[in-house]
Amino acid sequence: MADTFIFIPAYNVEKTLGGVLSAIPQSVWDRSRVLVIDDGSLDDTRGAYEKFARAYPELPLSYFRFEKNRGYGAVVKKGIADGIAENLKFVACLHGDGQYPANLLDKFIDHLENYRKPSGVKLALLQGSRHASRGGAKAGNMPLHKRLGGAFLTGLENLVFRQKLTDRHSGFILYRTSFLRKENLKKLSPSFDIDLELISIADARRYAVGELPIPTVYAGEVSNLNVVDYGLRCLRQIWRRLWMKY
């Protein structure tokens, strides 16, 4: 019986998508439905999907494509909306570029399902942290400017947010659908800061959030994130959280 919906943002990931799908544990396939969301890729991302789907026709896997690039926020909104529509218990975001550990999905799902805060409250969301283990981001070849920028933003966020985390800028996030169902997706950011926005909303509304360590993987891939624009958008989210504008 499926209880987890996994959506995979996929933009120009023909070289990595098959490896990401192959790394999902069989125990996760057995309890999940998986949707690849192609954000108007210019390479053969669709071909990579079709090759994997032909090889494993028994897997609960489907594909959706935006014909024109809509941006990361639109992909996340689509994935969350489809996860809510499936009426499953959890929704997970797993990027198609191979930066996040598909092989740890089973551990994360189990933690989100079973972990309770000391107060007994269940987690609304669980994020993978690349900074929970000291030196892990550097060892995984995260660029220096991203390490420094992420540390600066996380430090500010920990001054403002009620719950302290070591890495609010990882895109490896699992959600409890009961939390997502209460949010107006149309009002969420259209850009990369949508992940931080959802964490900020959960914190402002006193939902419990958590994190587990994940390895850092940078292998020279081309990033679609504009660090200056992203940093400014994150500062805006911090300001909104400070004044509870959610």
Side-chain angles (χ1 to χ4, degrees):
M1 182 70 69
D3 65 358
T4 303
F5 184 85
I6 302 169
F7 68 92
I8 301 180
Y11 180 65
N12 293 344
V13 293
E14 65 169 307
K15 295 180 180 179
T16 56
L17 181 59
V20 170
L21 293 170
S22 296
I24 297 175
Q26 184 60 48
S27 60
V28 174
W29 285 110
D30 291 342
R31 66 186 298 177
S32 303
R33 296 170 189 165
V34 179
L35 172 66
V36 174
I37 304 177
D38 184 344
D39 192 20
S41 294
L42 302 177
D43 67 357
D44 197 22
T45 291
R46 182 167 194 156
Y49 164 80
E50 292 175 345
K51 179 179 179 180
F52 183 89
R54 285 195 301 270
Y56 302 96
E58 74 281 3
L59 295 179
L61 179 63
S62 56
Y63 173 89
F64 175 87
R65 176 179 168 87
F66 289 118
E67 289 305 321
K68 293 184 179 181
N69 182 265
R70 296 276 300 277
Y72 180 71
V75 172
V76 172
K77 291 178 190 180
K78 165 69 175 173
I80 288 175
D82 283 15
I84 291 171
E86 290 281 355
N87 201 31
L88 301 180
K89 195 173 182 180
F90 310 112
V91 174
C93 178
L94 172 68
H95 291 199
D97 61 3
Q99 279 201 13
Y100 298 118
N103 62 305
L104 295 183
L105 275 169
D106 50 356
K107 177 181 178 181
F108 271 72
I109 296 170
D110 288 344
H111 191 83
L112 181 59
E113 181 174 31
N114 298 310
Y115 179 77
R116 302 288 187 274
K117 289 281 189 177
S119 60
V121 176
K122 298 177 181 178
L123 295 177
L125 65 87
L126 179 64
Q127 185 176 34
S129 171
R130 299 158 296 182
H131 301 290
S133 300
R134 187 175 180 85
K138 182 178 180 180
N141 296 317
M142 180 184 287
L144 178 61
H145 69 278
K146 289 192 175 184
R147 298 202 309 272
L148 294 176
F152 171 74
L153 290 171
T154 299
L156 285 180
E157 290 150 7
N158 280 338
L159 291 174
V160 175
F161 286 51
R162 183 174 59 90
Q163 299 172 85
K164 313 307 177 188
L165 298 173
T166 61
D167 181 7
R168 284 189 176 86
H169 304 282
S170 157
F172 188 63
I173 309 179
L174 286 73
Y175 303 91
R176 196 174 290 272
T177 309
S178 56
F179 158 64
L180 295 173
R181 194 175 284 118
K182 298 176 182 179
E183 304 310 317
N184 185 343
L185 299 181
K186 293 181 180 179
K187 292 185 176 181
L188 296 179
S189 172
S191 190
F192 283 97
D193 60 314
I194 188 172
D195 296 331
L196 177 63
E197 184 174 23
L198 285 165
I199 296 170
S200 184
I201 290 171
D203 186 77
R205 296 179 182 171
R206 295 191 171 271
Y207 287 96
V209 304
E211 64 180 6
L212 289 176
I214 59 172
T216 301
V217 179
Y218 276 82
E221 62 276 351
V222 176
S223 173
N224 300 298
L225 184 148
N226 182 309
V227 293
V228 175
D229 178 69
Y230 177 72
L232 292 174
R233 284 180 173 276
C234 289
L235 290 174
R236 177 176 176 269
Q237 296 296 346
I238 294 170
W239 177 259
R240 293 181 68 192
R241 175 64 187 91
L242 180 63
W243 296 102
M244 302 286 284
K245 293 183 181 295
Y246 290 109

